[in-house]
Amino acid sequence: MHVKVKNSLRMKLAVVLLCLTAGTFLIYFLINQFFLEDYYLYTKEKSLLKGYHKINEILSDSGAITTESANQIVNVCEKYGITIIVVDTADNIKLQYGNGTILQQRLQQINFGFNLNNANTKVIKETDKYVLQSYNLDKSNGGYMEVSGFFNKNMIFLMRMAVQSINESVSISMKFFVYVGTFVSLIGIIVAFVISGEFTRPILHLADISKEMSNLNFNVKYDNKSNDELGILGESMNELSDKLESTIIDLKQANYKLQSDIEQKEKIDEMRKDFISNASHELKTPIALIQGYAEGLSECVNDDADSREFYCEVIIDEANKMNKLVKNLLSLNQLEYGSSMIQYEKFDIIMVIKGVINKLDYPLKQKEAVVDFDYTGELFVYADEFKIEEVITNYLTNAINHLDENKIIKVNISQNDKKIRVSVFNSGKQIPDNELENIWIKFYKVDKARTREYGGSGIGLSIVKAIMNAHNNECGVLNKENGVEFWFELDTELC
């Protein structure tokens, strides 16, 4: 859509062209009206004198009128529309072309002086060889242009050229010119609009481009490859568009980086606040226990060795829990705020799962449980092996801690397209449906008393969620008929 303008440049240009055309016709009309008559007479004079000079040259070469020179003179007369009579001093006709009687009578009038002081005669030019004059010339009725004189000493001549009615010729010319001018003006109107349209079309296109550029759309380009000023302007607009686009992209990138830096700073501040808040909340209980038992030891509340040993074991156990909690908090915060980078590598997930099961052999024996995992062979995935091992450890540890009397733990692997799903099932109490989305939140505990019993902090599943988010993969939990199943997915091909 073209930009709409109130004062169209196309209309202005068309009006200018029409004014130039009308002005040209007006000037031509005035010149024709005031100068055409004089120019017409002037051309007659020039033609008559040219004929005289050519005939004089012919007779000068031949010296006398011969058959050949007579033919040449006749040709000149035909060419210029001249009638001529040449007589000798005895008034004998030597050459005539035209009405000889009238020419001879007119020549006698001139020779005998009847031409003098004649109101119908006007001398225009006089030399020692000829006299140029107009005879009976009236602009309404016409007349003649005459040249009379001597070719040689013994040859007297009269040459005349008819002059038509000037007024009638001018009138006809003016009428014809008006008709032609009207027709040409109509054609000129059409041509003016077409030409002005050709001029204004690229200008409107450039206006559209500038409008799009103001809306930050730099895909519209000027595609007219002309070598004129508009083509140069179009190329400049294209260069300006490219530079503006590049500059805006750079500004956006700089703004994005600045925004990212601000967000990162805010995340770090938030992480610091969360860490202090969470750590102080979670450390409050073990610190209180350690303080209480330490004060009991210092005050010798119980003197027997068994009691003191029990007090020391509680202090050590709570200190270990505090150490584990701080490490998990640091690891979780690094994952959540992008400080911990994922190191992708190709490894066998079967071997990693078997390694974790072997590592948890002691707590499994304590619970008198066995993990059902009978996969053999190799199954390679692309991920951070160390962090995936941590995910599997958290899932299996969680399963061990929530076993019921059936003591069933199953690890299963299913493959779909370019992904695998690892699931860990344990028989036990189901998670309430309204709690399923909350278990991934830091420090969230479905059964706080039981979690405290086995030393859980509510961070393990949050670490799992953060690790899988960093891998751009999913994890989740499902309530089964007689237990709970946790799962996560990994890529079998490097994306």
Side-chain angles (χ1 to χ4, degrees), residues 154-198:
N154 58 347
M155 285 191 290
I156 304 170
F157 73 92
L158 171 65
M159 298 172 58
R160 64 171 14 182
M161 179 182 292
V163 177
Q164 302 297 326
S165 171
I166 303 299
N167 287 338
E168 183 180 357
S169 298
V170 171
S171 176
I172 294 173
S173 176
M174 288 296 101
K175 287 180 181 180
F176 179 75
F177 180 77
V178 169
Y179 296 145
V180 172
T182 303
F183 176 75
V184 171
S185 296
L186 293 175
I187 298 298
I189 293 173
I190 299 173
V191 173
F193 273 97
V194 172
I195 293 176
S196 60
E198 290 298 318

Side-chain angles (χ1 to χ4, degrees), residues 259-419:
Q259 187 68 28
S260 178
D261 292 342
I262 293 173
E263 290 177 358
Q264 185 66 20
K265 182 180 181 300
E266 291 175 351
K267 284 181 179 180
I268 292 173
D269 291 340
E270 190 67 26
M271 179 180 67
R272 186 183 299 110
K273 293 176 183 178
D274 287 347
F275 182 80
I276 293 172
S277 175
N278 294 330
S280 61
H281 175 76
E282 291 297 321
L283 293 176
K284 180 171 61 177
T285 300
I287 288 174
L289 288 172
I290 291 173
Q291 183 181 7
Y293 280 96
E295 288 175 353
L297 283 175
S298 65
E299 294 174 2
C300 298
V301 174
N302 293 311
D303 294 333
D304 60 290
D306 290 339
S307 296
R308 288 196 300 272
E309 185 178 352
F310 173 73
Y311 277 34
C312 289
E313 287 177 355
V314 171
I315 292 171
I316 292 171
D317 183 55
E318 293 299 325
N320 288 333
K321 289 178 181 178
M322 290 172 58
N323 183 49
K324 180 181 178 183
L325 174 63
V326 171
K327 287 182 178 179
N328 285 339
L329 278 172
L330 289 172
S331 176
L332 179 59
N333 277 274
Q334 288 175 348
L335 286 167
E336 287 183 335
Y337 295 101
S339 300
S340 178
M341 300 298 294
I342 299 299
Q343 303 294 328
Y344 282 93
E345 56 184 321
K346 183 179 180 182
F347 63 91
D348 182 8
I349 189 66
I350 304 295
M351 183 178 295
V352 172
I353 294 173
K354 289 181 177 180
V356 174
I357 293 172
N358 291 333
K359 184 174 65 175
L360 297 175
D361 182 63
Y362 179 73
L364 284 169
K365 286 180 179 179
Q366 283 185 319
K367 290 283 187 174
E368 298 179 354
V370 177
V371 179
D372 181 6
F373 182 71
D374 56 359
Y375 284 85
T376 58
E378 297 176 333
L379 180 58
F380 290 97
V381 295
Y382 287 90
D384 189 317
E385 182 176 356
F386 175 76
K387 288 183 170 56
I388 297 304
E389 181 180 347
E390 187 174 359
V391 171
I392 298 169
T393 301
N394 276 322
Y395 274 180
L396 284 173
T397 302
N398 190 66
I400 293 170
N401 293 328
H402 291 83
L403 277 173
D404 61 3
E405 63 276 1
N406 294 322
K407 302 183 187 302
I408 299 173
I409 299 177
K410 292 181 180 180
V411 179
N412 185 51
I413 298 177
S414 60
Q415 190 167 1
N416 181 20
D417 196 14
K418 298 179 181 180
K419 289 185 180 292

Side-chain angles (χ1 to χ4, degrees), residues 104-118:
Q104 188 175 17
Q105 291 176 352
R106 177 59 185 155
L107 181 59
Q108 289 174 351
Q109 289 179 354
I110 294 172
N111 290 335
F112 288 111
F114 295 144
N115 191 44
L116 298 175
N117 300 321
N118 192 332

Side-chain angles (χ1 to χ4, degrees), residues 415-434:
Q415 190 167 1
N416 181 20
D417 196 14
K418 298 179 181 180
K419 289 185 180 292
I420 67 161
R421 174 176 287 196
V422 179
S423 58
V424 178
F425 169 83
N426 69 275
S427 60
K429 184 180 179 181
Q430 292 185 340
I431 302 172
D433 291 339
N434 61 340

Side-chain angles (χ1 to χ4, degrees), residues 234-269:
E235 288 297 322
S236 300
M237 289 280 286
N238 290 341
E239 292 178 7
L240 176 62
S241 176
D242 293 337
K243 290 181 179 179
L244 281 176
E245 183 178 19
S246 176
T247 302
I248 291 175
I249 290 174
D250 291 341
L251 287 174
K252 285 183 177 180
Q253 291 176 345
N255 183 61
Y256 176 78
K257 186 177 183 304
L258 179 60
Q259 187 68 28
S260 178
D261 292 342
I262 293 173
E263 290 177 358
Q264 185 66 20
K265 182 180 181 300
E266 291 175 351
K267 284 181 179 180
I268 292 173
D269 291 340

